Amino acid sequence: FSGSENQYNYPLTAAMMTFFKTSEGVLADKAVRQALVRAVDVKTLIGKLDSPVKALDSPLLPGQVGYDKTVVQQGYDVEAAKRLLDEAGWTLPSTGGVRQKDGQPLSFDLYAENSKANTIISSGLQSAWRAIGVQANVVLQDNADFQTTLSAHTYDALLHGIALGVDPDVYPYWHSSQADARLASRLNFSEYASAAADEALDSGRTRTDDALRAAKYKPFLEAWRDDAPALALYQPPPVSMGFCMQA
């Protein structure tokens, strides 16, 4: 047998995000989450990775049904991030450092599985948030411990990748019912609850016409942008597969 090997790249329909637990702690404050999103220059951050990746700005991937380039997460603006925190009552001590409100420091724990890429990204996030007076304590875990953390939702924030599929149904990740502790697998990692998002997700997943689905998803995208339950980061690099073709 003689032949030649051709390489084909298949993009992964997945997304790396930082999920903010919206149900408790300092990240229950929407202004804090909005500030955390605005404080990060995503394109510069992901440019530090060893492999080129595509920046994301939505819970849907560009080109997928429902993606709308006019309804994406708020862009990088450090001064806007600082104003959001100031207006929400999170003030910097005169000596600088970590913001406080009612004696509580603006500090939380960010969990991720231990990998080179996650180390780079989590360190960059930590630095970006420190610049606006927020302390993120990075906790990198081995796979077994991280799976336990995922299952039990024992984190404040989570750097993690999710699979969206070619024909996306993001209901499991953002519908409030999917944060129920009684579920065997709780994929709503942000424990996000929004009546507007729920209604849109319920409606969108029952439609087969792409244009109608997109219209139904728009209120979800608007709620997601405004509530900032997560920071969209990047689409993982394509998987390269070789096929041997007979000569």
Side-chain angles (χ1 to χ4, degrees):
F1 177 85
S2 63
S4 62
E5 184 177 273
N6 292 338
Q7 292 290 329
Y8 298 89
N9 287 330
Y10 292 86
L12 292 174
T13 52
M16 285 296 299
M17 295 189 179
T18 299
F19 298 89
F20 305 127
K21 187 184 281 189
T22 63
S23 58
E24 62 184 7
V26 298
L27 299 182
D29 187 334
K30 181 168 74 172
V32 171
R33 302 194 304 270
Q34 291 173 333
L36 294 178
V37 169
R38 304 223 68 176
V40 179
D41 183 347
V42 171
K43 289 185 178 180
T44 298
L45 175 59
I46 66 176
K48 298 176 182 178
L49 294 173
D50 291 341
S51 301
V53 294
K54 294 181 180 180
L56 295 183
D57 55 13
S58 167
L60 298 173
L61 303 180
Q64 287 187 322
V65 174
Y67 178 82
D68 187 336
K69 65 181 181 181
T70 69
V71 189
V72 296
Q73 72 187 8
Q74 294 294 322
Y76 174 56
D77 189 333
V78 171
E79 294 307 313
K82 292 177 179 177
R83 283 196 302 273
L84 282 164
L85 295 177
D86 289 340
E87 293 168 0
W90 293 98
T91 59
L92 272 172
S94 57
T95 55
V98 180
R99 292 176 182 266
Q100 297 184 2
K101 183 177 182 179
D102 300 327
Q104 181 182 20
L106 187 40
S107 173
F108 62 90
D109 294 334
L110 170 65
Y111 282 77
E113 186 174 355
N114 193 1
S115 71
K116 185 175 181 180
N118 285 348
T119 299
I120 292 170
I121 295 297
S122 61
S123 177
L125 292 172
Q126 187 180 50
S127 296
W129 293 333
R130 186 185 301 119
I132 61 169
V134 180
Q135 179 178 328
N137 308 305
V138 174
V139 183
L140 297 175
Q141 298 182 304
D142 62 29
N143 179 264
D145 288 340
F146 185 69
Q147 292 304 318
T148 299
T149 296
L150 276 183
S151 177
H153 282 217
T154 50
Y155 49 79
D156 300 317
L158 187 72
L159 175 59
H160 187 48
I162 57 175
L164 301 183
V166 175
D167 185 22
D169 178 11
V170 294
Y171 180 100
Y173 302 115
W174 305 112
H175 195 280
S176 63
S177 67
Q178 303 305 295
D180 192 328
R182 293 169 295 183
L183 293 175
S185 177
R186 286 187 289 166
L187 297 181
N188 184 342
F189 298 117
S190 296
E191 300 186 359
Y192 178 49
S194 162
D198 281 356
E199 182 178 355
L201 291 169
D202 284 332
S203 298
R205 75 188 324 219
T206 61
R207 303 303 195 272
T208 56
D209 179 79
D210 285 353
L212 185 55
R213 283 179 66 195
K216 293 294 184 181
Y217 276 142
K218 189 167 184 176
F220 159 66
L221 296 177
E222 292 171 338
W224 191 91
R225 175 197 60 197
D226 297 340
D227 292 333
L231 168 64
L233 292 168
Y234 66 91
Q235 184 177 358
V239 174
S240 180
M241 301 180 67
F243 291 88
C244 192
M245 307 296 291
Q246 184 172 357

